[in-house]
Amino acid sequence: MTKAPFASLSAAIAALGTALAFLAVQLRTDGYEPYVESVATASVVMFVTAALVVVTWVRAGRRHSN
């Protein structure tokens, strides 16, 4: 069984989080204050998801006892 592409998945999710963070900053400068919090929250969720994918990648690489 081949390994899942954890590295590319994590990088893509982190890139999405970065894009959302830049969008939140742009929305704040343009005066769309009501949308900033939800976009920033989505950005944080993407970064946390990318970190969890990395944790899964590390754990999948370890040997299993059974």
Side-chain angles (χ1 to χ4, degrees):
M1 186 166 119
T2 61
K3 256 184 138 173
F6 290 116
S8 59
L9 177 64
S10 179
I13 293 172
L16 178 59
T18 303
L20 286 171
F22 281 121
L23 176 63
V25 170
Q26 188 64 40
L27 286 172
R28 184 174 298 253
T29 58
D30 289 344
Y32 292 101
E33 199 65 34
Y35 305 107
V36 172
E37 185 178 351
S38 61
V39 173
T41 301
S43 174
V44 170
V45 167
M46 291 299 112
F47 285 124
V48 169
T49 303
L52 290 174
V53 169
V54 169
V55 168
T56 303
W57 182 17
V58 169
R59 290 187 58 139
R62 293 197 291 181
R63 294 225 179 251
H64 301 290
S65 60
N66 286 346

